[in-house]
Amino acid sequence: MKLLGKYLTTTTITITLILLTLPCFGVGQGELFRVNPKHEVRAVWLATIGGLDWPRCYANSYISIENQKKELTQILDKLKKANINTVLFQTRIRGTVIYPSAIEPWDGCCSGIPGKSPGYDPLAFAIDECHKRGMEIQAWIVAIPIGKWNSFGCKTLRRKHPTLVVRKGNEGYIDPNNPSAKKYIADICSEITSKYDVDGIHLDYIRYPETWKVDTKNDKARQNITDIVKNVYNVIKSIKPWVKLSCAPIGKYSDLARYSSNGWNAFSKGYQDAQGWLRMGIMDQIYPMMYFKGNQFYPFALDWNENCHGRTIVPGLGIYFLSSEEGNWPVDEVIRQMYVARKKGMGYAFFRNKFFCDDTKGLYSFTKDYFNLYPALIPPMTWAHMPTPSAPSNLTKIKSDDFEAIKWDKITDNANGGISYNVYASRTYPVDINDTRNLIAQRLQENHLAINSKDNLYYAVTSMNRYGQESAPVQEKAEIQPERTTEFLKNDGRKLWLPDKGHELDADYIMIKSLAGTIIKTLPYRDKSTDITGIKNGCYVIY
């Protein structure tokens, strides 16, 4: 085994050192980057309907407002620690919203009373808090359903637009057959895009309800939904072209040659031509709701990936099935899906936040401690064909006994939503910005950063536009130090001699993993050696 040294990860601006050993053959830098991709969507759906994920308390006084805000920041802090980088934040619920709107009334999830303001703007607060943590936030819009027929949102919309609403059973829906539907839904998305610094509009339930007997021809029904999508896309891009449009279609696009969708697919059941939207260029990201397992998941996930047309595919994983009250899935089922999605260059989204943050069957701990050891940037919108931003300049460092501070000159080409900055650090010079293990801060708005570290580190900073396109780095001016030599970790097949912890490491255990990421064994890290009897000959990574 080859000792490559100690690499960096971070939460906020505190650097933690991790001991990493890597086999000396069979794994190159390309394999490292597949294990730790620099660009990957890691998302959660955060449901506000009924306070399912947030909020758990109503806001009706100064104290309760602050408690509600604190509850959200605690959730976001926990997501940040697991290197989640995207929050799909439920903004339009059922003909109701969680921001002051000129179109639809307040939902009751924040204030406890439908139609009443909670005394602050939850959407604006959520956007600010996500951006402080370097996370993207998309406004999750439930498009077609508007709740029970006599619910507050449905009754309000019926009074304003009686011909736009249809009743099916005891439920109300915006009628996709009505040409006015595309303007109404686009108006809501336009209002949000104009008033708020969202990173995306995320359309949910943008389809015909499965209980409907659609009386139009299939092609006409699909065209009705496509017209809504196209109108939303054109409207938000005319306002802020960097704002992404994404959606959550049914998890299987259509039947495959070898695998049936069992009658539940986007194209024929929901009349969602989602792959066509990618082909037409009216959708930036797709989050298919792939709440299945086995052969009902993997072939259909690959089908989405093979028909992405250069856009971003993010399989939605049904982690609520881990709950004993739902499907009681073993956690290995979800973990396998995460690994396959990563290997194929796709991201993943958890449905929903509560089951993730509650660490259902250890999924949060696995994600934070093993799977997402390093942060990742959102894949760039290369199809927007925007110029790459200029690099920052004049990177300087100030060092004291307990911390280092760096600063740089901001760039001036700040059009199209502005510029943010990514910071990288390494013990070697120049800093490799393609290695995500060196990324310590992302999407910074300011041009300075203090780092709680006593290590002699080199720094590099890049600028990034709202399309996710990154500049060349400005490197700290420093003399190039000779690279530290590497050596094999000595072992005789029964005993492994461990490197000295020195004063930097306080780990009590080491973990041995296969190259595929499977945990082989956890052993004490107390002595100068440890027993590896029983571990088969091969190449392993030690953490």
Side-chain angles (χ1 to χ4, degrees):
M1 297 185 182
K2 183 178 179 182
L3 181 62
L4 291 188
K6 303 179 182 73
Y7 289 92
L8 296 172
T9 185
T10 181
T11 57
T12 62
I13 57 172
T14 299
I15 296 177
T16 303
L17 294 172
I18 294 176
L19 179 67
L20 172 68
T21 65
L22 188 75
C24 62
F25 57 93
V27 176
Q29 287 296 309
E31 180 66 25
L32 275 174
F33 297 156
R34 283 192 290 274
V35 173
N36 304 296
K38 180 175 178 177
H39 295 96
E40 182 176 67
V41 174
R42 302 165 177 176
V44 296
W45 277 282
L46 198 152
T48 56
I49 183 170
L52 286 178
D53 292 326
W54 177 85
R56 296 300 179 86
C57 62
Y58 293 132
N60 46 41
S61 67
Y62 174 79
I63 293 176
S64 57
I65 288 173
E66 292 305 305
N67 287 339
Q68 198 172 90
K69 290 180 176 180
K70 181 179 179 181
E71 183 186 349
L72 182 58
T73 58
Q74 288 174 340
I75 290 172
L76 298 180
D77 284 342
K78 194 163 187 177
L79 296 177
K80 176 67 176 177
K81 288 178 181 177
N83 282 320
I84 297 298
N85 57 22
T86 302
V87 176
L88 306 173
F89 187 72
Q90 193 172 22
T91 301
R92 185 188 190 232
I93 300 175
R94 294 293 188 272
T96 52
V97 295
I98 61 166
Y99 66 95
S101 169
I103 301 172
E104 292 192 325
W106 283 96
D107 189 79
C109 66
C110 292
S111 69
I113 302 173
K116 182 181 178 182
S117 166
Y120 75 108
D121 188 335
L123 179 58
F125 180 75
I127 292 169
D128 288 345
E129 293 301 316
C130 283
H131 287 172
K132 284 178 185 177
R133 292 161 177 79
M135 302 162 71
E136 289 203 353
I137 180 171
Q138 298 194 23
W140 167 9
I141 307 299
V142 179
I144 301 299
I146 51 175
K148 299 294 183 183
W149 188 250
N150 289 317
S151 66
F152 183 74
C154 186
K155 286 196 297 184
T156 303
L157 186 54
R158 283 194 284 126
R159 285 196 299 268
K160 291 183 176 180
H161 303 280
T163 63
L164 187 59
V165 180
V166 294
R167 180 173 184 170
K168 298 293 181 180
N170 196 34
E171 300 285 333
Y173 300 89
I174 289 179
D175 185 3
N177 299 325
N178 189 328
S180 299
K182 62 183 180 182
K183 181 180 184 306
Y184 186 80
I185 295 172
D187 283 348
I188 294 169
C189 298
S190 172
E191 181 181 57
I192 295 170
T193 304
S194 299
K195 290 176 62 176
Y196 295 97
D197 190 23
V198 292
D199 299 290
I201 297 292
H202 179 69
L203 298 177
D204 184 25
Y205 222 112
I206 183 68
R207 58 183 172 91
Y208 282 82
E210 60 272 20
T211 56
W212 284 27
K213 293 182 180 179
V214 179
D215 55 7
T216 61
K217 292 182 179 180
N218 289 354
D219 288 344
K220 175 59 176 171
R222 274 187 288 274
Q223 189 60 51
N224 289 338
I225 300 299
T226 295
D227 286 346
I228 296 173
V229 171
K230 185 183 298 183
N231 208 43
V232 171
Y233 182 86
N234 290 336
V235 164
I236 67 172
K237 295 296 182 179
S238 69
I239 301 168
K240 294 175 182 175
W242 59 89
V243 171
K244 301 177 181 70
L245 181 61
S246 69
C247 72
I250 294 172
K252 304 164 188 174
Y253 175 67
S254 188
D255 290 333
L256 303 179
R258 295 179 57 194
Y259 299 96
S260 171
S261 65
N262 297 320
W264 181 243
N265 65 66
F267 189 79
S268 300
K269 189 66 176 177
Y271 305 100
Q272 301 171 299
D273 187 11
Q275 291 184 4
W277 303 339
L278 295 169
R279 184 178 62 254
M280 289 183 278
I282 57 173
M283 190 65 65
D284 298 304
Q285 295 178 332
I286 292 283
Y287 292 75
M289 300 180 293
M290 306 200 65
Y291 310 154
F292 319 106
K293 57 184 179 179
N295 285 339
Q296 291 297 299
F297 177 88
Y298 298 103
F300 295 94
L302 296 179
D303 177 61
W304 285 110
N305 195 44
E306 290 167 359
N307 292 279
C308 69
H309 298 280
R311 305 300 171 98
T312 306
I313 303 295
V314 188
L317 309 185
I319 66 170
Y320 65 98
F321 278 120
L322 296 174
S323 170
S324 59
E325 298 176 358
E326 300 288 347
N328 202 28
W329 284 6
V331 71
D332 286 352
E333 184 66 46
V334 174
I335 290 173
R336 281 196 297 272
Q337 294 176 1
M338 293 165 66
Y339 274 113
V340 169
R342 174 169 290 179
K343 185 174 182 180
K344 293 300 179 181
M346 301 183 286
Y348 52 89
F350 294 134
F351 186 83
R352 8 181 272 274
N353 178 78
K354 177 184 184 300
F355 298 95
F356 181 59
C357 283
D358 283 357
D359 201 18
T360 307
K361 292 191 175 176
L363 180 64
Y364 176 86
S365 297
F366 165 79
T367 304
K368 178 176 72 74
D369 297 334
Y370 304 120
F371 197 72
N372 286 355
L373 273 176
Y374 306 97
L377 302 177
I378 304 297
M381 299 167 64
T382 55
W383 52 89
H385 303 295
M386 297 300 294
T388 302
S390 303
S393 58
N394 296 325
L395 174 60
T396 58
K397 178 172 68 175
I398 302 171
K399 188 173 178 62
S400 74
D401 292 339
D402 298 320
F403 72 93
E404 295 179 331
I406 57 173
K407 63 178 182 177
W408 57 92
D409 291 346
K410 288 187 174 182
I411 67 169
T412 56
D413 48 347
N414 275 352
N416 290 299
I419 291 291
S420 60
Y421 301 95
N422 301 321
V423 178
Y424 301 81
S426 172
R427 284 198 179 92
T428 59
Y429 184 89
V431 180
D432 183 0
I433 69 165
N434 293 313
D435 189 340
T436 192
R437 295 172 297 177
N438 295 333
L439 179 61
I440 64 169
Q442 62 207 78
R443 287 188 57 135
L444 292 177
Q445 301 302 311
E446 301 299 329
N447 60 330
H448 51 81
L449 181 67
I451 302 98
N452 182 14
S453 174
K454 297 181 180 180
D455 295 283
N456 185 24
L457 300 174
Y458 299 107
Y459 295 94
V461 179
T462 62
S463 58
M464 187 171 69
N465 62 21
R466 292 300 290 271
Y467 301 87
Q469 295 170 301
E470 197 175 21
S471 74
V474 56
Q475 298 275 354
E476 172 192 348
K477 293 181 179 179
E479 295 182 3
I480 299 178
Q481 301 295 327
E483 187 173 353
R484 184 173 53 181
T485 58
T486 60
E487 59 184 17
F488 293 101
L489 289 183
K490 182 181 177 182
N491 73 89
D492 60 8
R494 295 182 300 275
K495 181 185 293 186
L496 173 68
W497 281 265
L498 298 170
D500 183 53
K501 295 185 195 180
H503 299 291
E504 296 172 333
L505 292 175
D506 60 357
D508 294 322
Y509 297 91
I510 64 167
M511 181 176 62
I512 300 178
K513 296 173 70 174
S514 70
L515 299 188
T518 302
I519 300 173
I520 304 299
K521 202 165 187 178
T522 301
L523 297 168
Y525 191 10
R526 292 190 292 266
D527 303 317
K528 294 183 178 181
S529 64
T530 189
D531 183 13
I532 57 172
T533 303
I535 298 179
K536 296 180 180 178
N537 289 338
C539 298
Y540 299 93
V541 181
I542 296 181
Y543 293 87

